[in-house]
Amino acid sequence: MSDEQRPTTSQGPQIRDPHAPVNLLRDFEPLDDLPGAPSTTGTAAGTSGNAGTTAGIPIGSTAAPRTPASYAPSASSPLRSLSDIADVADIDVSDTQDGLDISGTAGTAPVPGEARVDLRALDADGGRRGARRRRVDDDPLARRPRASSRVLCVVFGLLLVAAAFGVYWFGVHTETGQSFDDMVETYFAANVPGWFAGLLGAGSHVAVLVGSILFAAAAVVVAVVRRRWWLLGQLVAFGVLCFAASLLKDVLPRPFIIHTTIDAGNSAPSGHTILGVAAATALLFAVSRGWRWVAALVGGLWSVFVALSVVNGKWHRPSDALMAILLVGGVALFTLAFTRTSGMDATGKRRSSAGVQVVGSIAITGGAFACLYGAYVVWQVVPGLLMSAEWARSGAVAAAIILIAGATTLVFGLMLAMRQLTAAPLTKLGLVGAPPAPPKRR
């Protein structure tokens, strides 16, 4: 038991600061906010043996520590945790941050620096909402993310869209780009291991279509089961925008610069890649906090598989797949900027996620460095590209694989971080009281 989790004898049980390190396995909580599911907030944040901890909030006491039985609700008003109280009762939370008292005992002196809640305000029938009491839902952050989070989504979205069109310009409007695309698409299968080419060969039209449908269907089912109606609307709008982005191939021009082995018509962006990445992104947005990092890993692997399969099968050039990945990422971040109400995590159940922090940080950092290294490899093989040299083939194929994998990793890392940031803004009222502070040593 850490110092942050060690109970004190004078103030009752104390649990750790929510910003302290979190166990990654304990943080993995399946769809924990399903309708009717038992609340896990009282145990997820304090599983180290503290029986008197609830929802990450220190429970103040005047004498000896209280057990949960001392403040158990009546049969007519069953409440499992403070997160349930936040949803069904009017809680008197003072702006002055008085002590938190859930015992209902009169004459208790407030403890400075904490928030005060009196369960005597609850009626016997489950607590009727009083006109003079503030509710958790009155907090603006219970209805929408912070403005800074939405601005970040828009900024990163614009950067990804700009990068997508930068890839299009390089691959279509420059001699070097057309040479690179043509060389990679022509000699891709001959310059990768046989087992890898066989694996990518399994990515047929039917396989990509069926796999993407399964991802999208899972996202819709999860959103409906969790009753995230605003999120469901976001997913529909996101799908429509991605479909519109796939129609750009019929609009964008492709000038003739050099003779290419592959068809000279424009094929950017790749519709198959847009479908695969968009379906995986929808599942990432739909799942609850504990599953987000898992969905990002699975969705990222699926997206890389689809993008490399279309290149291996000579359906698309590498710049087509790369442009599609970046476009979907930009559209996804624009969609997150409009997150509201049921598109967010439930109040009283929000907390940081170690999985999101670890996976997101590694994905963003590793993806950015992979993209830089891939661009460096392209620069190294440029002389061979212009002469169609045989020695440049393996380098060009390696650069394409690195760029596609790096861009996918970067995009999913950004989407994972922004989804957590917009879905679970930590707030005083969203956590049902003032955020807990580390216990003071006496």
PDB file of all heavy atoms in Angstrom, residues 104-130:
ATOM      1  N   GLY A 104     -24.485  11.998   7.749  1.00  0.00           N
ATOM      2  CA  GLY A 104     -25.767  12.560   8.125  1.00  0.00           C
ATOM      3  C   GLY A 104     -25.829  12.914   9.594  1.00  0.00           C
ATOM      4  O   GLY A 104     -26.903  13.110  10.155  1.00  0.00           O
ATOM      5  N   THR A 105     -24.718  13.001  10.280  1.00  0.00           N
ATOM      6  CA  THR A 105     -24.684  13.320  11.704  1.00  0.00           C
ATOM      7  C   THR A 105     -24.681  14.815  11.898  1.00  0.00           C
ATOM      8  O   THR A 105     -23.889  15.525  11.298  1.00  0.00           O
ATOM      9  CB  THR A 105     -23.430  12.716  12.357  1.00  0.00           C
ATOM     10  OG1 THR A 105     -23.428  11.315  12.065  1.00  0.00           O
ATOM     11  CG2 THR A 105     -23.430  12.933  13.841  1.00  0.00           C
ATOM     12  N   ALA A 106     -25.565  15.312  12.748  1.00  0.00           N
ATOM     13  CA  ALA A 106     -25.647  16.749  13.005  1.00  0.00           C
ATOM     14  C   ALA A 106     -24.519  17.190  13.921  1.00  0.00           C
ATOM     15  O   ALA A 106     -24.006  16.426  14.730  1.00  0.00           O
ATOM     16  CB  ALA A 106     -26.998  17.090  13.644  1.00  0.00           C
ATOM     17  N   GLY A 107     -24.161  18.435  13.798  1.00  0.00           N
ATOM     18  CA  GLY A 107     -23.180  19.020  14.688  1.00  0.00           C
ATOM     19  C   GLY A 107     -21.752  18.677  14.352  1.00  0.00           C
ATOM     20  O   GLY A 107     -20.871  18.867  15.176  1.00  0.00           O
ATOM     21  N   THR A 108     -21.502  18.171  13.189  1.00  0.00           N
ATOM     22  CA  THR A 108     -20.149  17.808  12.807  1.00  0.00           C
ATOM     23  C   THR A 108     -19.444  19.029  12.250  1.00  0.00           C
ATOM     24  O   THR A 108     -19.944  19.678  11.343  1.00  0.00           O
ATOM     25  CB  THR A 108     -20.168  16.698  11.751  1.00  0.00           C
ATOM     26  OG1 THR A 108     -20.868  15.576  12.283  1.00  0.00           O
ATOM     27  CG2 THR A 108     -18.755  16.292  11.371  1.00  0.00           C
ATOM     28  N   ALA A 109     -18.296  19.311  12.767  1.00  0.00           N
ATOM     29  CA  ALA A 109     -17.550  20.481  12.313  1.00  0.00           C
ATOM     30  C   ALA A 109     -16.944  20.195  10.953  1.00  0.00           C
ATOM     31  O   ALA A 109     -16.424  19.103  10.714  1.00  0.00           O
ATOM     32  CB  ALA A 109     -16.435  20.820  13.305  1.00  0.00           C
ATOM     33  N   PRO A 110     -17.014  21.165  10.030  1.00  0.00           N
ATOM     34  CA  PRO A 110     -16.443  20.934   8.708  1.00  0.00           C
ATOM     35  C   PRO A 110     -14.932  20.841   8.764  1.00  0.00           C
ATOM     36  O   PRO A 110     -14.285  21.491   9.584  1.00  0.00           O
ATOM     37  CB  PRO A 110     -16.889  22.173   7.911  1.00  0.00           C
ATOM     38  CG  PRO A 110     -17.135  23.215   8.940  1.00  0.00           C
ATOM     39  CD  PRO A 110     -17.632  22.495  10.158  1.00  0.00           C
ATOM     40  N   VAL A 111     -14.385  20.003   7.889  1.00  0.00           N
ATOM     41  CA  VAL A 111     -12.951  19.864   7.783  1.00  0.00           C
ATOM     42  C   VAL A 111     -12.461  20.794   6.687  1.00  0.00           C
ATOM     43  O   VAL A 111     -12.911  20.694   5.547  1.00  0.00           O
ATOM     44  CB  VAL A 111     -12.566  18.402   7.434  1.00  0.00           C
ATOM     45  CG1 VAL A 111     -11.056  18.268   7.318  1.00  0.00           C
ATOM     46  CG2 VAL A 111     -13.131  17.470   8.491  1.00  0.00           C
ATOM     47  N   PRO A 112     -11.564  21.728   6.985  1.00  0.00           N
ATOM     48  CA  PRO A 112     -11.114  22.693   5.978  1.00  0.00           C
ATOM     49  C   PRO A 112     -10.479  21.974   4.789  1.00  0.00           C
ATOM     50  O   PRO A 112      -9.774  20.986   4.952  1.00  0.00           O
ATOM     51  CB  PRO A 112     -10.095  23.548   6.737  1.00  0.00           C
ATOM     52  CG  PRO A 112     -10.435  23.350   8.177  1.00  0.00           C
ATOM     53  CD  PRO A 112     -10.963  21.963   8.299  1.00  0.00           C
ATOM     54  N   GLY A 113     -10.738  22.520   3.586  1.00  0.00           N
ATOM     55  CA  GLY A 113     -10.098  22.025   2.393  1.00  0.00           C
ATOM     56  C   GLY A 113     -10.809  20.885   1.707  1.00  0.00           C
ATOM     57  O   GLY A 113     -10.288  20.309   0.758  1.00  0.00           O
ATOM     58  N   GLU A 114     -11.998  20.486   2.204  1.00  0.00           N
ATOM     59  CA  GLU A 114     -12.730  19.409   1.566  1.00  0.00           C
ATOM     60  C   GLU A 114     -14.151  19.866   1.269  1.00  0.00           C
ATOM     61  O   GLU A 114     -14.592  20.917   1.712  1.00  0.00           O
ATOM     62  CB  GLU A 114     -12.746  18.157   2.445  1.00  0.00           C
ATOM     63  CG  GLU A 114     -11.349  17.589   2.693  1.00  0.00           C
ATOM     64  CD  GLU A 114     -11.385  16.365   3.598  1.00  0.00           C
ATOM     65  OE1 GLU A 114     -12.467  16.114   4.170  1.00  0.00           O
ATOM     66  OE2 GLU A 114     -10.365  15.692   3.737  1.00  0.00           O
ATOM     67  N   ALA A 115     -14.891  19.052   0.474  1.00  0.00           N
ATOM     68  CA  ALA A 115     -16.264  19.390   0.113  1.00  0.00           C
ATOM     69  C   ALA A 115     -17.217  18.667   1.035  1.00  0.00           C
ATOM     70  O   ALA A 115     -16.931  17.596   1.535  1.00  0.00           O
ATOM     71  CB  ALA A 115     -16.541  19.006  -1.340  1.00  0.00           C
ATOM     72  N   ARG A 116     -18.397  19.251   1.283  1.00  0.00           N
ATOM     73  CA  ARG A 116     -19.334  18.746   2.270  1.00  0.00           C
ATOM     74  C   ARG A 116     -20.629  18.305   1.594  1.00  0.00           C
ATOM     75  O   ARG A 116     -21.212  19.020   0.829  1.00  0.00           O
ATOM     76  CB  ARG A 116     -19.627  19.848   3.293  1.00  0.00           C
ATOM     77  CG  ARG A 116     -20.379  19.355   4.522  1.00  0.00           C
ATOM     78  CD  ARG A 116     -20.462  20.469   5.544  1.00  0.00           C
ATOM     79  NE  ARG A 116     -21.083  19.995   6.744  1.00  0.00           N
ATOM     80  CZ  ARG A 116     -20.458  19.346   7.702  1.00  0.00           C
ATOM     81  NH1 ARG A 116     -19.187  19.084   7.562  1.00  0.00           N
ATOM     82  NH2 ARG A 116     -21.086  18.925   8.780  1.00  0.00           N
ATOM     83  N   VAL A 117     -21.057  17.066   1.875  1.00  0.00           N
ATOM     84  CA  VAL A 117     -22.300  16.533   1.351  1.00  0.00           C
ATOM     85  C   VAL A 117     -23.088  15.955   2.507  1.00  0.00           C
ATOM     86  O   VAL A 117     -22.556  15.197   3.304  1.00  0.00           O
ATOM     87  CB  VAL A 117     -22.038  15.428   0.293  1.00  0.00           C
ATOM     88  CG1 VAL A 117     -23.344  14.838  -0.174  1.00  0.00           C
ATOM     89  CG2 VAL A 117     -21.257  15.990  -0.872  1.00  0.00           C
ATOM     90  N   ASP A 118     -24.357  16.325   2.638  1.00  0.00           N
ATOM     91  CA  ASP A 118     -25.199  15.876   3.731  1.00  0.00           C
ATOM     92  C   ASP A 118     -26.275  14.959   3.171  1.00  0.00           C
ATOM     93  O   ASP A 118     -27.141  15.385   2.412  1.00  0.00           O
ATOM     94  CB  ASP A 118     -25.823  17.088   4.437  1.00  0.00           C
ATOM     95  CG  ASP A 118     -26.530  16.681   5.728  1.00  0.00           C
ATOM     96  OD1 ASP A 118     -26.621  15.473   6.032  1.00  0.00           O
ATOM     97  OD2 ASP A 118     -26.980  17.591   6.427  1.00  0.00           O
ATOM     98  N   LEU A 119     -26.230  13.677   3.552  1.00  0.00           N
ATOM     99  CA  LEU A 119     -27.207  12.721   3.048  1.00  0.00           C
ATOM    100  C   LEU A 119     -28.583  12.945   3.649  1.00  0.00           C
ATOM    101  O   LEU A 119     -29.551  12.337   3.221  1.00  0.00           O
ATOM    102  CB  LEU A 119     -26.747  11.296   3.339  1.00  0.00           C
ATOM    103  CG  LEU A 119     -25.592  10.802   2.485  1.00  0.00           C
ATOM    104  CD1 LEU A 119     -25.373   9.327   2.737  1.00  0.00           C
ATOM    105  CD2 LEU A 119     -25.851  11.055   1.028  1.00  0.00           C
ATOM    106  N   ARG A 120     -28.696  13.778   4.683  1.00  0.00           N
ATOM    107  CA  ARG A 120     -30.024  14.064   5.235  1.00  0.00           C
ATOM    108  C   ARG A 120     -30.908  14.793   4.249  1.00  0.00           C
ATOM    109  O   ARG A 120     -32.118  14.837   4.386  1.00  0.00           O
ATOM    110  CB  ARG A 120     -29.878  14.891   6.513  1.00  0.00           C
ATOM    111  CG  ARG A 120     -29.233  14.117   7.669  1.00  0.00           C
ATOM    112  CD  ARG A 120     -28.993  15.029   8.859  1.00  0.00           C
ATOM    113  NE  ARG A 120     -28.073  16.094   8.514  1.00  0.00           N
ATOM    114  CZ  ARG A 120     -27.800  17.128   9.318  1.00  0.00           C
ATOM    115  NH1 ARG A 120     -28.422  17.245  10.476  1.00  0.00           N
ATOM    116  NH2 ARG A 120     -26.935  18.033   8.959  1.00  0.00           N
ATOM    117  N   ALA A 121     -30.265  15.382   3.197  1.00  0.00           N
ATOM    118  CA  ALA A 121     -31.051  16.078   2.180  1.00  0.00           C
ATOM    119  C   ALA A 121     -31.825  15.103   1.294  1.00  0.00           C
ATOM    120  O   ALA A 121     -32.697  15.497   0.543  1.00  0.00           O
ATOM    121  CB  ALA A 121     -30.143  16.942   1.303  1.00  0.00           C
ATOM    122  N   LEU A 122     -31.460  13.802   1.361  1.00  0.00           N
ATOM    123  CA  LEU A 122     -32.138  12.824   0.531  1.00  0.00           C
ATOM    124  C   LEU A 122     -33.480  12.442   1.135  1.00  0.00           C
ATOM    125  O   LEU A 122     -33.595  12.209   2.323  1.00  0.00           O
ATOM    126  CB  LEU A 122     -31.275  11.568   0.385  1.00  0.00           C
ATOM    127  CG  LEU A 122     -29.922  11.773  -0.289  1.00  0.00           C
ATOM    128  CD1 LEU A 122     -29.172  10.463  -0.289  1.00  0.00           C
ATOM    129  CD2 LEU A 122     -30.108  12.309  -1.678  1.00  0.00           C
ATOM    130  N   ASP A 123     -34.526  12.332   0.322  1.00  0.00           N
ATOM    131  CA  ASP A 123     -35.814  11.858   0.784  1.00  0.00           C
ATOM    132  C   ASP A 123     -35.806  10.342   0.905  1.00  0.00           C
ATOM    133  O   ASP A 123     -34.933   9.659   0.383  1.00  0.00           O
ATOM    134  CB  ASP A 123     -36.912  12.270  -0.200  1.00  0.00           C
ATOM    135  CG  ASP A 123     -37.053  13.773  -0.272  1.00  0.00           C
ATOM    136  OD1 ASP A 123     -36.595  14.437   0.682  1.00  0.00           O
ATOM    137  OD2 ASP A 123     -37.606  14.264  -1.278  1.00  0.00           O
ATOM    138  N   ALA A 124     -36.826   9.820   1.583  1.00  0.00           N
ATOM    139  CA  ALA A 124     -36.906   8.377   1.749  1.00  0.00           C
ATOM    140  C   ALA A 124     -37.193   7.670   0.444  1.00  0.00           C
ATOM    141  O   ALA A 124     -36.885   6.503   0.268  1.00  0.00           O
ATOM    142  CB  ALA A 124     -37.993   8.023   2.769  1.00  0.00           C
ATOM    143  N   ASP A 125     -37.776   8.337  -0.531  1.00  0.00           N
ATOM    144  CA  ASP A 125     -38.134   7.693  -1.787  1.00  0.00           C
ATOM    145  C   ASP A 125     -37.038   7.791  -2.831  1.00  0.00           C
ATOM    146  O   ASP A 125     -37.279   7.569  -4.010  1.00  0.00           O
ATOM    147  CB  ASP A 125     -39.418   8.297  -2.353  1.00  0.00           C
ATOM    148  CG  ASP A 125     -39.273   9.787  -2.634  1.00  0.00           C
ATOM    149  OD1 ASP A 125     -38.228  10.349  -2.239  1.00  0.00           O
ATOM    150  OD2 ASP A 125     -40.197  10.369  -3.242  1.00  0.00           O
ATOM    151  N   GLY A 126     -35.819   8.140  -2.440  1.00  0.00           N
ATOM    152  CA  GLY A 126     -34.719   8.192  -3.394  1.00  0.00           C
ATOM    153  C   GLY A 126     -34.224   9.588  -3.621  1.00  0.00           C
ATOM    154  O   GLY A 126     -33.272   9.782  -4.363  1.00  0.00           O
ATOM    155  N   GLY A 127     -34.791  10.580  -3.010  1.00  0.00           N
ATOM    156  CA  GLY A 127     -34.256  11.931  -3.109  1.00  0.00           C
ATOM    157  C   GLY A 127     -34.930  12.761  -4.168  1.00  0.00           C
ATOM    158  O   GLY A 127     -34.645  12.615  -5.342  1.00  0.00           O
ATOM    159  N   ARG A 128     -35.889  13.610  -3.779  1.00  0.00           N
ATOM    160  CA  ARG A 128     -36.492  14.523  -4.749  1.00  0.00           C
ATOM    161  C   ARG A 128     -35.591  15.733  -4.910  1.00  0.00           C
ATOM    162  O   ARG A 128     -35.011  16.229  -3.948  1.00  0.00           O
ATOM    163  CB  ARG A 128     -37.871  14.948  -4.244  1.00  0.00           C
ATOM    164  CG  ARG A 128     -38.861  13.795  -4.227  1.00  0.00           C
ATOM    165  CD  ARG A 128     -40.288  14.305  -4.247  1.00  0.00           C
ATOM    166  NE  ARG A 128     -41.181  13.177  -4.396  1.00  0.00           N
ATOM    167  CZ  ARG A 128     -42.045  12.811  -3.484  1.00  0.00           C
ATOM    168  NH1 ARG A 128     -42.141  13.486  -2.367  1.00  0.00           N
ATOM    169  NH2 ARG A 128     -42.807  11.761  -3.682  1.00  0.00           N
ATOM    170  N   ARG A 129     -35.541  16.219  -6.112  1.00  0.00           N
ATOM    171  CA  ARG A 129     -34.637  17.329  -6.403  1.00  0.00           C
ATOM    172  C   ARG A 129     -35.170  18.607  -5.807  1.00  0.00           C
ATOM    173  O   ARG A 129     -36.262  19.028  -6.148  1.00  0.00           O
ATOM    174  CB  ARG A 129     -34.463  17.457  -7.917  1.00  0.00           C
ATOM    175  CG  ARG A 129     -33.689  16.283  -8.507  1.00  0.00           C
ATOM    176  CD  ARG A 129     -33.765  16.292 -10.020  1.00  0.00           C
ATOM    177  NE  ARG A 129     -32.851  15.321 -10.570  1.00  0.00           N
ATOM    178  CZ  ARG A 129     -33.105  14.019 -10.632  1.00  0.00           C
ATOM    179  NH1 ARG A 129     -34.247  13.548 -10.179  1.00  0.00           N
ATOM    180  NH2 ARG A 129     -32.216  13.184 -11.145  1.00  0.00           N
ATOM    181  N   GLY A 130     -34.378  19.230  -4.955  1.00  0.00           N
ATOM    182  CA  GLY A 130     -34.756  20.488  -4.339  1.00  0.00           C
ATOM    183  C   GLY A 130     -34.425  21.656  -5.234  1.00  0.00           C
ATOM    184  O   GLY A 130     -33.429  21.636  -5.946  1.00  0.00           O
TER     185      GLY A 130
END
